Amino acid sequence: LCALEVSRNLMAVGSKDGIITIYDCTSGQKVANLRGHKASICKLGLVNYNGKKYLTSGSDHGCCSIVLWDTTTWNMRMKIEYHKAAVTAIVDLLDNRSLVSGSYDKTINVYNLNEEGKMLFNLPVNKTSVTAVLLTCNGNKLITCGLDDTVSVYQIMRGASRQVETMFLEREIQNNTMICSIVASMLNPELVFLGTKDGKIKLINIERGEAYKIYNVCNNAVIEMVVVERQTKPGTHELR
């Protein structure tokens, strides 16, 4: 159901049976089978915590949990259980402590990994299910999307060592169709790419709340994107 490059030589694949399989990309051989969920794997991610890299996984309705896996031993490090529906997003907040997740249960939760995944706070309840969450490239804003075609922009307030303290809703941007996927620009923290249900990729300026460019890419929903950017000159972007 989902896949993620863990490192240059390792790939994680999440399946419908709740098992995550780790593959060696060079040999094609299985490295490990990770069992910690009781439902389909919906989302995979990576988080850096206490100087180590962990694989994160989120599961579907019937389990609705988040698990952190040690990428050295492949042992389960911790399990977080707050959501009541499928986990659709897991994002590292880049402070060596905090993790955020979104779910079809209309909630977005922030956790303290130093306290075994205890919830720090949650963002105001969404009007509808959360489909995607991302952090801008400078780590200052959290962007969320839902089934109601809305992009929400949250300002992140950080304290000492840039640790996340709280967030507040800065603005909402209305889109004219459902957003299925979202990717941050790595060149400009004001820009994000939206993959929509009607087969478009939209480059949105989150400060102005407007579309910078629109690409017609297919006839179906854009559920995954890999974006390669090149800045040919200041203020311009080339998408590949």
Side-chain angles (χ1 to χ4, degrees):
L1 294 178
C2 53
L4 179 76
E5 184 182 40
V6 178
S7 66
R8 194 167 190 174
N9 297 318
L10 294 175
M11 178 72 70
V13 178
S15 64
K16 191 175 181 179
D17 59 10
I19 297 173
I20 302 162
T21 304
I22 309 300
Y23 290 97
D24 184 303
C25 298
T26 303
S27 66
Q29 298 297 310
K30 290 182 182 180
V31 174
N33 282 328
L34 312 182
R35 293 178 170 86
H37 295 285
K38 298 178 181 178
S40 303
I41 307 301
C42 298
K43 197 68 179 179
L44 295 170
L46 294 170
V47 60
N48 289 299
Y49 169 59
N50 276 348
K52 295 184 68 174
K53 182 167 69 175
Y54 292 88
L55 174 69
T56 61
S57 56
S59 56
D60 203 349
H61 184 74
C63 182
C64 313
S65 61
I66 298 167
V67 174
L68 269 67
W69 306 91
D70 189 316
T71 57
T72 303
T73 64
W74 297 116
N75 292 327
M76 184 189 299
R77 171 61 182 82
M78 71 178 72
K79 192 170 189 176
I80 302 171
E81 298 177 286
Y82 282 97
H83 286 301
K84 297 179 181 179
V87 178
T88 55
I90 309 171
V91 175
D92 183 359
L93 291 176
L94 303 180
D95 64 356
N96 201 37
R97 180 193 74 165
S98 308
L99 191 71
V100 62
S101 65
S103 168
Y104 271 12
D105 65 7
K106 304 180 183 181
T107 64
I108 299 168
N109 301 332
V110 180
Y111 310 101
N112 185 346
L113 300 181
N114 287 338
E115 297 185 16
E116 295 299 307
K118 180 181 178 181
M119 191 190 300
L120 280 170
F121 58 89
N122 55 15
L123 298 182
V125 177
N126 276 42
K127 301 172 186 176
T128 187
S129 299
V130 179
T131 56
V133 177
L134 71 74
L135 190 69
T136 55
C137 64
N138 60 5
N140 291 337
K141 295 185 180 180
L142 191 77
I143 314 299
T144 71
C145 304
L147 294 178
D148 61 351
D149 309 342
T150 301
V151 179
S152 299
V153 181
Y154 292 89
Q155 178 67 48
I156 300 174
M157 307 304 294
R158 296 180 183 267
S161 302
R162 285 188 57 79
Q163 289 193 337
V164 173
E165 293 185 343
T166 188
M167 303 183 195
F168 65 86
L169 182 63
E170 188 174 83
R171 66 176 53 84
E172 291 185 333
I173 303 168
Q174 296 299 318
N175 193 46
N176 59 9
T177 187
M178 190 179 86
I179 301 159
C180 303
S181 54
I182 185 168
V183 174
S185 167
M186 300 311 294
L187 298 176
N188 187 337
E190 295 183 1
L191 301 178
V192 298
F193 296 89
L194 306 179
T196 65
K197 186 179 180 181
D198 59 0
K200 294 181 175 64
I201 294 176
K202 296 184 178 182
L203 183 54
I204 301 292
N205 186 306
I206 59 173
E207 297 297 331
R208 298 176 183 174
E210 60 187 20
Y212 179 71
K213 286 185 179 179
I214 299 176
Y215 304 88
N216 294 296
V217 296
C218 61
N219 294 321
N220 297 307
V222 180
I223 58 174
E224 293 286 350
M225 289 184 285
V226 176
V227 176
V228 179
E229 296 175 277
R230 185 174 69 178
Q231 190 166 20
T232 53
K233 59 182 179 179
T236 65
H237 278 72
E238 185 175 299
L239 175 67
R240 295 184 183 275

